[in-house]
Amino acid sequence: MQVKISESWKKVLEEEFTKPYFLDLVSFVKEEYSKHIVYPPGPKIFNAFENCSLEDLKVVIIGQDPYHGEGQANGLCFSVSDGIVQPPSLKNIFKELHNDLGVPAPKSGNLERWAKQGVLLLNATLTVRANTAGSHQKKGWEEFTDAVISKISESKKGVVFLLWGAYAQKKGAVIDTQKHYVLQAAHPSPFAADKGFFGCKHFSKTNAFLAKQGLAEIDW
């Protein structure tokens, strides 16, 4: 089966696309899109990979589900399309970014500009039915994105992983911490941000680590 994904990723993920779980996942997703409103739009399902090649990848941020409101999800975790009101978690991310590096909160919540600098904005589940949070969980996406994280850990060195919240931290269990730099904090949602996300300074810490390796810092 042909999956439309950039060549750099296709090479390392090709074997996943032929596994029984993935073929079942594709059947499920196709049926969902044919019968229901599903986000993100079909061409944006693999947007995180399209905007950040494996060669250029320097940072990974792990989310859970795409946003399930109309027009929100654009295939990048925590990100929304231009012109869409920023969800609370994203507002808190920008708040911490401002407190950490003095970066003013941008008007647009579209994080494509991060992705194009080598930040993989990876949701654990890449699709969701409209207005139904978690509706595409445990259908195979998690197994696929676990494989993605494993492949990054195996094939790269010195990647910064930002794991916000218990779910992302559990998902990061496959990361080789001897080869990579793992930063953990509370989730940026309003329910948890005060419990360790605010003040984590992950943006400046990420850039300091990249600079130490002689890599260009992220223009957050």
Side-chain angles (χ1 to χ4, degrees):
M1 191 209 69
Q2 285 294 312
V3 173
K4 289 181 181 175
I5 193 168
S6 64
E7 281 303 315
S8 68
W9 289 104
K10 194 178 280 185
K11 289 171 190 170
V12 297
L13 296 173
E14 212 152 26
E15 62 184 283
E16 292 303 310
F17 301 145
T18 59
K19 289 181 178 177
Y21 87 86
F22 195 85
L23 299 177
D24 289 343
L25 171 63
V26 168
S27 297
F28 166 76
V29 170
K30 280 183 176 175
E31 188 172 355
E32 284 286 291
Y33 273 89
S34 70
K35 292 182 177 178
H36 306 280
I37 296 172
V38 178
Y39 299 127
K44 300 244 179 196
I45 292 174
F46 292 103
N47 204 24
F49 303 93
E50 291 300 325
N51 281 282
C52 177
S53 70
L54 183 59
E55 289 90 344
D56 295 337
L57 184 149
K58 297 189 282 192
V59 181
V60 178
I61 299 176
I62 299 175
Q64 192 164 355
D65 254 16
Y67 296 121
H68 55 80
E70 185 179 356
Q72 289 181 306
N74 65 1
L76 309 174
C77 74
F78 294 108
S79 173
V80 290
S81 299
D82 294 325
I84 299 295
V85 174
Q86 295 171 14
S89 291
L90 183 56
K91 282 185 177 177
N92 284 341
I93 289 169
F94 289 151
K95 188 176 178 182
E96 172 58 23
L97 177 57
H98 176 70
N99 291 338
D100 184 8
L101 289 172
V103 176
K107 288 180 181 176
S108 174
N110 193 339
L111 301 181
E112 214 171 86
R113 62 190 182 278
W114 293 4
K116 290 188 182 299
Q117 296 178 73
V119 182
L120 182 69
L121 296 158
L122 182 67
N123 273 319
T125 304
L126 299 190
T127 55
V128 67
R129 197 186 290 184
N131 306 314
T132 316
S135 50
H136 286 189
Q137 289 178 4
K138 299 179 181 172
K139 301 294 183 183
W141 278 130
E142 294 91 341
E143 190 170 343
F144 172 70
T145 49
D146 278 349
V148 170
I149 295 164
S150 290
K151 295 289 185 186
I152 294 168
S153 182
E154 289 165 18
S155 65
K156 301 278 289 185
K157 189 177 180 184
V159 173
V160 183
F161 288 86
L162 305 184
L163 308 181
W164 299 334
Y167 184 89
Q169 287 157 22
K170 190 177 177 184
K171 189 102 179 143
V174 297
I175 300 164
D176 183 346
T177 55
Q178 301 300 308
K179 287 172 65 183
H180 303 286
Y181 189 49
V182 178
L183 292 171
Q184 302 188 73
H187 195 276
S189 81
F191 305 105
D194 286 327
K195 297 172 184 171
F197 179 75
F198 290 140
C200 70
K201 298 191 179 296
H202 279 188
F203 303 102
S204 59
K205 287 176 181 176
T206 295
N207 278 352
F209 183 75
L210 293 175
K212 196 175 174 184
Q213 295 185 88
L215 297 170
E217 298 179 10
I218 305 299
D219 179 8
W220 301 104

